[in-house]
Amino acid sequence: MTRLAVFGDLLDVTAPCPADADLDTPPPTVRWRPKHWLLIENGRIQAIQPDAPDASWPRDERPGRLILPGFIDTHVHAPQLDVIASYGTELLDWLNRYTFPAEKAWADPAVAAAGSTRFLDQLLAHGTTAALVFPTVHKCSVDALFGAAEARGMRLITGKCLMDRHAPDGLRDTVQEAERDSIDLIQRWHGQGRNAYAHTVRFAPTSSEAQLDMAGDLLAAHPGSYLQTHVAENRAEVEWVRQLFPSARSYLGVYERHRLLGPNSTLAHGIWLDENDRAALRSTGAVIAHSPTSNLFLGSGLFDWRGRAAEGVRLSIASDVGGGVSLSMQRTLAAAYQVAALQGQRLDAFTLLHAATAGNAESLNLGHEIGRLEPGLMADLCCWRWADEGSVLAHRLSIARSLHERLFAWLMLGDERLLEGVWVAGRPI
Ligand code: GUN
Ligand code: ZN
């Protein structure tokens, strides 16, 4: 039996705040437990208490530090650390000029292994302990990612990227090859430890109707497996899909008709959807992963978080690196605030923190495992400094009058440089 007692200022948020909430008097869904002990036994949270545990417990004391659930990233591309911050293009040009050439390199298992290690270590260095990840079309990229996640004890969801057309040589599969590789990978990795398989349709333009159909079959055939893709990110992309699938009701309708929408489906972006699309998302339980730094960087558009949430569409938040420009969830949440502000909406700090933790966990139907600080859940945690001495953030915090004011400033001004410790399944990294 392994045990650890972590001491610090515990914060987690179990639900978004209503738009009219009094933020200076947080609702009970905001659980601020300063100077508390979090007891971990065999990788799970066993108890949370103000009193120190008995002397038999090994201790890790972090006075004055913020202890949060590990962040969860619901849409991020492992091979795209090589193209993050590439200049001057919108989505379709960006894919052709930067992204596809970079992804070709992952055909080499050694490149995929080194890239996967780098990627997961960077996620952890940004306080992200679980993720839904795009690899490449190559089978070895999936082996590399799952293997590296297993070695770190991380919760990881990924699966071979499916793309059998409109991609350069070296990045295309065929329906038969893709099906065989997917089944192999599912048998090897799905449900092994904390790994789960995601059927990964890159986006409608890079899959034939036959391949989309095959993905629908795989999703139906493998309980607990996921589906990830992109949808309605950019206006030129939407127009291209209209031409490629002339009989489809809409871009989202392509996925709907191939049985790819369900409660385990996460679709990145979803900026340019109509009312029927939103109804289809609601009725199927499919999730839109809002990727604000990516949408700003690639000039894709402004996603209406408050509007979609009010309609009952399931939502999550994601970095979408390398279209997105940071793996940091603070940077992602700050961008989400700004995207909302550009539309006359506001996202409070509690709602933002909830999105990156419990909200993202629930979007993956993993709320029973990650995202909150609660007995029974896995001990995926991070310890953060509030600020560096002498920084603008330290000054701002020194005159803040409420928890909300402090947390909001921390999210807007903080980043991975404030991270002091990470535990994955109770194990210090
Ligand atoms: N649509 C299809 N592929 C991609 C990708 O790699 N990144 C983004 N942002 N959108 C996509
Ligand atoms: Zn993406």
Side-chain angles (χ1 to χ4, degrees), residues 131-207:
L132 172 56
V133 178
F134 262 68
T136 64
V137 71
H138 315 103
K139 195 178 182 185
C140 67
S141 72
V142 183
D143 282 323
L145 271 170
F146 274 134
E150 187 172 60
R152 288 159 183 74
M154 292 172 76
R155 164 52 90 167
L156 188 88
I157 308 171
T158 190
K160 193 199 106 60
C161 198
L162 304 169
M163 38 202 300
D164 66 350
R165 62 171 179 166
H166 299 135
D169 292 348
L171 275 192
R172 284 188 314 275
D173 53 16
T174 64
V175 176
Q176 292 73 21
E177 228 176 31
E179 184 173 30
R180 193 192 57 222
D181 285 355
S182 297
I183 290 170
D184 262 12
L185 289 164
I186 290 164
Q187 285 170 350
R188 195 170 316 153
W189 296 110
H190 183 51
Q192 294 301 313
R194 303 185 76 187
N195 291 329
Y197 198 84
H199 316 290
T200 301
V201 172
R202 176 166 214 125
F203 66 157
T206 45
S207 284

Side-chain angles (χ1 to χ4, degrees), residues 77 80 91 94-95 99 202-203 230 233 269 294 298 320:
H77 298 255
Q80 293 182 15
L91 175 66
W94 174 83
L95 285 171
T99 308
R202 176 166 214 125
F203 66 157
H230 298 87
E233 172 178 3
H269 310 297
S294 170
L298 294 176
D320 190 31

Side-chain angles (χ1 to χ4, degrees), residues 120-129 152 154 419 422 424 429:
L120 292 185
D121 286 343
Q122 282 295 346
L123 280 188
L124 292 170
H126 286 75
T128 295
T129 51
R152 288 159 183 74
M154 292 172 76
L419 185 65
V422 181
V424 173
I429 302 289

Side-chain angles (χ1 to χ4, degrees), residues 26 30 88 392:
V30 177
V392 169

Side-chain angles (χ1 to χ4, degrees), residues 252-381:
L252 191 89
V254 173
Y255 298 139
E256 190 178 17
R257 109 179 157 195
H258 290 287
R259 299 159 290 126
L260 297 173
L261 301 184
N264 269 8
S265 303
T266 292
L267 300 90
H269 310 297
I271 299 168
W272 307 103
L273 298 173
D274 66 20
E275 246 170 66
N276 292 323
D277 294 331
R278 275 128 61 182
L281 289 170
R282 252 196 324 270
S283 67
T284 58
V287 177
I288 294 292
H290 175 32
S291 307
T293 75
S294 170
N295 297 163
L296 293 170
F297 183 75
L298 294 176
S300 302
L302 301 176
F303 182 76
D304 180 4
W305 177 284
R306 284 276 191 212
R308 297 295 84 81
E311 290 169 352
V313 174
R314 295 177 73 210
L315 301 176
S316 67
I317 190 134
S319 71
D320 190 31
V321 160
V325 289
S326 177
L327 289 175
S328 160
M329 274 297 146
Q330 288 96 329
R331 306 287 17 94
T332 303
L333 298 175
Y337 177 84
Q338 290 160 4
V339 166
L342 280 166
Q343 299 168 94
Q345 309 274 354
R346 294 294 179 263
L347 292 171
D348 63 87
F350 301 132
T351 295
L352 290 169
L353 180 60
H354 171 266
T357 53
N360 275 358
E362 284 158 25
S363 82
L364 299 170
N365 304 306
L366 294 175
H368 56 286
E369 178 186 319
I370 50 177
R372 287 171 293 139
L373 304 180
E374 207 168 284
L377 271 68
M378 295 298 282
D380 291 351
L381 320 169

